[in-house]
Amino acid sequence: MSPLIRRGEAVSWGRAYFAVQAIAGFLWWAAVFLSPVVREATLGNLDPVAVAVLDIPLFVAASAVAAFAVKAAAVVSTGWTGVVAVALAVYATITTEAGWGLLTMGAATAGSLLALCLVLLGRVPTAWIIRGPFAFRPAIPRPTAASHVASTFAQIVLFWGFFLAVIPFTVAFLEQRWAVVLTFPSFAAPVGVAVLVLASALGISAAVAMSTLGNGTPLPSAMPNHLVIAGPYRWIRNPMAAAGILQGAAVGVILQSWLVVAYAVVGSLVWNYVVRPLEESDLEERFGEEFRQYRDAVRCWVPRVSKALRSQKQ
């Protein structure tokens, strides 16, 4: 398939998104004016007429025009959606109103950004995330693994503290503030604690294997110099990513925050469809046939007993 055809398909997907967004926006505004429940949940005490004067032409109409591949309309729709999402975030945080409207527009902003990339570029520029400090680079080789182990555990403290404490507690606080809380069953918290402990053990085990056997760290800018296929890596190719996703979901369950659970799910999708292909492309380039055999023998997420890998280790 030629790049031109692939670009055309990507643009079509972007146009289709804007078409769906225009229809959804029209139906939402109809519901706002017909249903006090929808109006209160999504706009709070904001005057719907005053909001509609701007939102209908800049969101609904602009999305409809963008569906015909008009790039300026796609830019206007995406920009306005982002402005509304930010404004609703401020309003909902201050007043505890319109939380569901904020979440809806937040999701629309993410979708619009992706669709805008498809319409303007014919692709989502995922490679941008591995530029600069996040570019894949092998670690400086060390005579012993001690420095890599120390660096790895420093990374664990930093990243776990940020992604499993700062962000989840902030999200859980905002979930309460925005009045979008959902009820969890009574047994959820103990289950979350158990999953968190097991996932953390998996993550630490994988980190130790990588830093002691790979002559490097999990950090993209200091990646292992050797392909690691021992420890948890015998069973799945991404044990640290799997551990992080399970940890995030477990923290969400412990905090009884569905938004934190959603944050973990979104993180898993970003990792699987954006980060993993880039990382595995880099591994294949650096380790060649050794990585290809490993990739063919070991699944990405679902563990299995690999006869090929066992025989290779024996």
Side-chain angles (χ1 to χ4, degrees), residues 175-176 181-186 188-189 251-258:
E175 183 179 317
Q176 295 279 344
V181 176
L182 299 178
T183 303
F184 279 61
S186 58
V251 170
V253 172
I254 293 170
L255 296 177
Q256 299 195 25
S257 167
W258 72 271

Side-chain angles (χ1 to χ4, degrees), residues 128-137 221:
W128 290 0
I129 68 172
I130 57 171
R131 292 182 180 177
F134 298 103
F136 293 136
R137 303 183 185 91
S221 59

Side-chain angles (χ1 to χ4, degrees), residues 289-309:
E289 185 60 27
E290 182 184 9
F291 173 74
R292 286 190 287 271
Q293 290 181 358
Y294 172 67
R295 181 185 59 198
D296 293 340
V298 178
R299 292 174 178 169
C300 180
W301 301 111
V302 181
R304 72 177 176 187
V305 176
S306 172
K307 296 180 180 179
L309 198 59

Side-chain angles (χ1 to χ4, degrees), residues 40-57:
E40 182 178 353
T42 57
L43 290 179
N45 287 318
L46 292 173
D47 182 356
V49 175
V51 178
V53 167
L54 291 174
D55 194 69
I56 290 178

Side-chain angles (χ1 to χ4, degrees), residues 237-264:
R237 299 202 306 272
N238 294 280
M240 293 195 69
I245 293 164
L246 289 172
Q247 285 173 308
V251 170
V253 172
I254 293 170
L255 296 177
Q256 299 195 25
S257 167
W258 72 271
L259 279 182
V260 174
V261 176
Y263 150 75

Side-chain angles (χ1 to χ4, degrees), residues 49-106:
V49 175
V51 178
V53 167
L54 291 174
D55 194 69
I56 290 178
L58 296 177
F59 178 65
V60 180
S63 295
V65 176
F68 292 94
V70 178
K71 296 179 180 180
V75 172
V76 169
S77 174
T78 302
W80 175 251
T81 306
V83 168
V84 172
V86 172
L88 281 177
V90 174
Y91 177 78
T93 303
I94 294 174
T95 66
T96 71
E97 299 175 354
W100 292 107
L102 162 61
L103 296 183
T104 301
M105 293 308 295

Side-chain angles (χ1 to χ4, degrees), residues 108-125:
T109 300
S112 295
L113 285 171
L114 293 176
L116 180 65
C117 289
L118 296 178
V119 170
L120 294 183
L121 306 175
R123 61 188 176 88
V124 178

Side-chain angles (χ1 to χ4, degrees), residues 13-64:
W13 279 107
R15 293 173 57 189
Y17 173 84
F18 280 114
V20 171
Q21 181 165 273
I23 295 171
F26 174 81
L27 294 176
W28 172 67
W29 272 113
V32 165
F33 285 109
L34 293 174
S35 170
V37 174
V38 174
R39 182 166 60 249
E40 182 178 353
T42 57
L43 290 179
N45 287 318
L46 292 173
D47 182 356
V49 175
V51 178
V53 167
L54 291 174
D55 194 69
I56 290 178
L58 296 177
F59 178 65
V60 180
S63 295

